Amino acid sequence: MSPRFSLKNGARALGLAMERRRHPRRFIQTDKTPWDRIYQEGIMSVRHYSLPPMERIPVGDESVPVERHKHRRPLLLVPALGIHCWTFDLMPNRSMVRYLMARGHDVYLIDWGQPSKADRELDLNTYVNHWLPAAVEAVRDHTSAGDINLLGYCMGGLLSLMYLGGHPGAPVHSLATIASPVNFHKSGPFGTVFSLAAIPAMQVHDWFQVRLEPLDSKLFHIPANLLSWGFKLTNPPGLVQSYVDLWRNSADRDYLTEYMTMGQWFNDMVDYPGAVVREVIEKLILANSLADGRIKLADHEVDFANVTQDLLAIGGTSDRIVTLRAARDILKVVGSSEKRFEEAPGGHAGVFAGSKAPSHTWRIIADWLAARG
């Protein structure tokens, strides 16, 4: 590399650094696909997406033809809690929403909103037995469809499972999940800690009837900034490497755009409601109820044996948060006669929206859903 070239790159990097500081939104390309709000209840709403007229859509460095045939069943996307719903529409050339529309699906998306401390009493019952059924009905009303398909990421997949398990006969034909941990005690090192902690915790519960439920939900409410750091610290080497890669590519505008857009996912998270966190700790982590296929939400009994819809579950091969073992156990608890588990490359975020996701996770899901109308 010549000194002249290095000097030129240095000047470009300095200019881009100044632009990033003054105008960061120029580099952040989230939530760019057109949508309309078709339903709202509290902070929760439902979006309907439309694909701009085009013959092909960009996906990474390639393109995908837009299918003229449209599948008859609408598809409702269910995001995880703690993150913005636009992770399904991360950037124009890394948008699962656009990809699924190009593959012929009529796409809807739940926006869980941005809970604040004032919303700390939101619990699993609200999401599973009130908002999810309302969202499903909103999509059916908007399309006049008899039933729909569901696709959930991480906690979104678990919420969908609990909804189907507690509502036999729900107007849902099939469910696909990505990185959804049914067995929390099998999630690698985290699962080992959870299972070891569960033994004395459950003994205390049995002996003294100690419950977390009476404790104030504000004690469990997780603010967005703390959640962001928690996710970043699950992979410290990766965090360091990302800064090294940023320095090496500081003169590359396309790289900076992707880096800042992906970074927005973890830098701009949303609060995790305290009541949900309290239930997750007590029922999902300590009691590991989902691995047994049953959980009680308020006065509503959920039994995964009631889940008879066709099921596709996908796990990330390098996911440290939701390991393959934790995700694969979904096959043991559902009552579906048609059920399938697939491995795809990537960690917890990568398997969902990384550079390899379109050719693996997205393609697998789109192909599987296409066979189900």
Side-chain angles (χ1 to χ4, degrees):
M1 181 181 296
S2 68
R4 180 181 178 182
F5 184 76
S6 297
L7 184 61
K8 182 179 180 181
N9 269 3
R12 183 183 296 115
L14 179 60
L16 287 172
M18 294 175 64
E19 184 180 358
R20 283 170 53 210
R21 180 171 292 275
R22 293 177 179 175
H23 307 286
R25 297 304 309 182
R26 293 180 183 177
F27 296 86
I28 299 173
Q29 298 296 309
T30 61
D31 203 14
K32 296 299 183 181
T33 304
W35 55 271
D36 295 308
R37 183 179 292 109
I38 66 160
Y39 181 81
Q40 177 107 36
E41 182 179 339
I43 61 173
M44 183 277 284
S45 62
V46 179
R47 300 178 174 189
H48 179 227
Y49 282 88
S50 57
L51 189 65
M54 57 182 71
E55 294 295 322
R56 306 180 72 88
I57 64 163
V59 179
D61 296 326
E62 302 178 355
S63 65
V64 173
V66 176
E67 295 181 9
R68 296 183 182 278
H69 168 73
K70 300 298 179 184
H71 302 293
R72 69 181 184 276
R73 287 190 176 93
L75 174 61
L76 177 60
L77 308 179
V78 186
L81 304 181
I83 60 177
H84 289 278
C85 68
W86 47 246
T87 50
F88 278 94
D89 185 33
L90 199 55
M91 64 183 82
N93 69 339
R94 191 84 62 79
S95 169
M96 187 188 296
V97 162
R98 293 196 184 200
Y99 179 87
L100 291 170
M101 284 194 291
R103 293 293 307 273
H105 296 283
D106 190 9
V107 176
Y108 293 78
L109 171 66
I110 295 178
D111 180 357
W112 296 125
Q114 299 184 46
S116 65
K117 289 183 179 179
D119 303 299
R120 61 180 179 269
E121 296 300 334
L122 289 175
D123 57 8
L124 290 175
N125 182 59
T126 303
Y127 287 94
V128 172
N129 294 320
H130 295 282
W131 283 352
L132 245 173
V136 170
E137 288 305 313
V139 173
R140 292 180 68 213
D141 289 343
H142 195 254
T143 60
S144 299
D147 57 8
I148 72 170
N149 293 321
L150 285 177
L151 166 58
Y153 168 57
C154 188
M155 192 65 182
L158 297 185
L159 295 174
S160 301
L161 273 173
M162 287 185 267
Y163 159 60
L164 296 178
H167 297 263
V172 174
H173 183 263
S174 61
L175 168 67
T177 65
I178 305 171
S180 296
V182 168
N183 193 328
F184 277 69
H185 290 184
K186 288 186 178 179
S187 275
F190 296 104
T192 302
V193 172
F194 295 157
S195 60
L196 291 175
I199 297 172
M202 296 312 293
Q203 286 181 337
V204 168
H205 173 274
D206 293 339
W207 292 341
F208 304 106
Q209 295 300 303
V210 174
R211 297 286 307 279
L212 298 182
E213 188 174 357
L215 298 179
D216 196 321
S217 57
K218 69 181 180 182
L219 300 174
F220 299 90
H221 192 84
I222 304 178
N225 57 350
L226 183 59
L227 194 62
S228 294
W229 275 107
F231 269 91
K232 291 175 182 178
L233 292 177
T234 61
N235 184 18
L239 182 62
V240 173
Q241 185 61 48
S242 70
Y243 286 121
V244 173
D245 292 340
L246 174 62
W247 178 78
R248 289 175 175 172
N249 295 277
S250 58
D252 184 337
R253 188 181 192 90
D254 290 339
Y255 180 88
L256 294 176
T257 298
E258 180 171 337
Y259 177 89
M260 290 190 66
T261 301
M262 289 294 292
Q264 191 71 0
W265 179 338
F266 299 104
N267 293 329
D268 184 24
M269 304 187 82
V270 299
D271 288 14
Y272 220 109
V276 170
V277 174
R278 184 177 57 202
E279 285 185 285
V280 167
I281 293 173
E282 183 172 31
K283 299 177 181 179
L284 276 60
I285 293 178
L286 295 178
N288 204 25
S289 298
L290 300 188
D292 295 327
R294 293 180 180 177
I295 188 172
K296 187 172 184 179
L297 306 179
D299 58 352
H300 213 96
E301 297 288 346
V302 173
D303 188 341
F304 286 169
N306 293 330
V307 181
T308 57
Q309 287 80 3
D310 291 354
L311 174 74
L312 169 67
I314 297 177
T317 54
S318 55
D319 193 339
R320 293 182 173 89
I321 297 175
V322 179
T323 63
L324 292 173
R325 295 176 65 206
R328 187 183 287 112
D329 271 13
I330 190 174
L331 301 182
K332 297 180 180 180
V333 294
V334 297
S336 308
S337 57
E338 176 66 34
K339 51 188 175 182
R340 170 180 162 193
F341 184 81
E342 291 281 347
E343 299 180 10
H348 195 62
V351 69
F352 172 66
S355 59
K356 296 181 180 179
S359 59
H360 292 83
T361 303
W362 300 1
R363 177 187 56 77
I364 292 170
I365 289 172
D367 290 346
W368 186 80
L369 286 174
R372 285 153 181 81

